[in-house]
Amino acid sequence: MTTDTIDIAPRLRGRPREFDMNAALDEALRVFSERGYHAASISELTEAMSLTAGSVYKAFGDKRGVFLAAFDRYRRVRQRLIDEVLAKAPNAHEKLRILVTFFAEASCGEIGRRGCLVVGSATELALFDEEVANRVGVAFDFDERRILELIRLGQTDGSVATHVDPESTACALLALTKGMRVIGKTGRKTEHMLAAAEAAMKLLN
């Protein structure tokens, strides 16, 4: 993974001090996912990111700036992980199974309790912050379009039934996968979420 660095303060001899941007944002992600935007304090963020408040303000402007940078980082990392996993599947139906299972497994236990930053942002901030709402909308549109394209590909390669309506089924699977992340905050068991994923796959039969 490429490491991003950013200057935060001059050294005594005039050379800039740097920190690992990705590592800092990953820690901010954890705080925002666990606490939510409003409950996360600057002191919690600076402690998790191993930065001073002054360094955070200089690099990101304010707490909202940290959040937006963390949101973008979260989406980049998640999409790369999903792309890598989907590349291993032999056909579109298996890609869809892997995708739905990915969200099911991310909704279990401690990881599930931590939650999804995109889904959390949709429920906590999207009504009050237009920029966040736009980011959430882009993320949801991307995920739905990916599912839609896989359904259509599956109907072409014969792995998805031709009577399945691509648009409505893509919307249903989007709702199911995002809903998994919501109920995952309650600490659902792995077997329950995997069973839900299997039930969701029946929409493609």
Side-chain angles (χ1 to χ4, degrees), residues 94-166:
E94 284 307 303
K95 289 180 187 293
L96 286 162
R97 181 183 300 280
I98 289 171
L99 184 63
V100 173
T101 302
F102 177 92
F103 283 100
E105 291 177 341
S107 304
C108 305
E110 190 59 35
I111 295 176
R113 288 190 185 92
R114 186 173 298 172
C116 169
L117 194 65
V118 175
V119 174
S121 301
T123 57
E124 185 180 11
L125 293 175
L127 286 176
F128 311 103
D129 190 311
E130 184 176 356
E131 187 170 0
V132 172
N134 288 337
R135 275 173 159 81
V136 170
V138 168
F140 283 177
D141 287 346
F142 180 91
D143 289 346
E144 185 172 7
R145 186 167 60 252
R146 185 206 294 269
I147 295 170
L148 176 61
E149 290 172 354
L150 287 175
I151 292 172
R152 287 174 172 164
L153 177 61
Q155 291 178 324
T156 300
D157 68 24
S159 62
V160 174
T162 56
H163 66 79
V164 170
D165 180 70

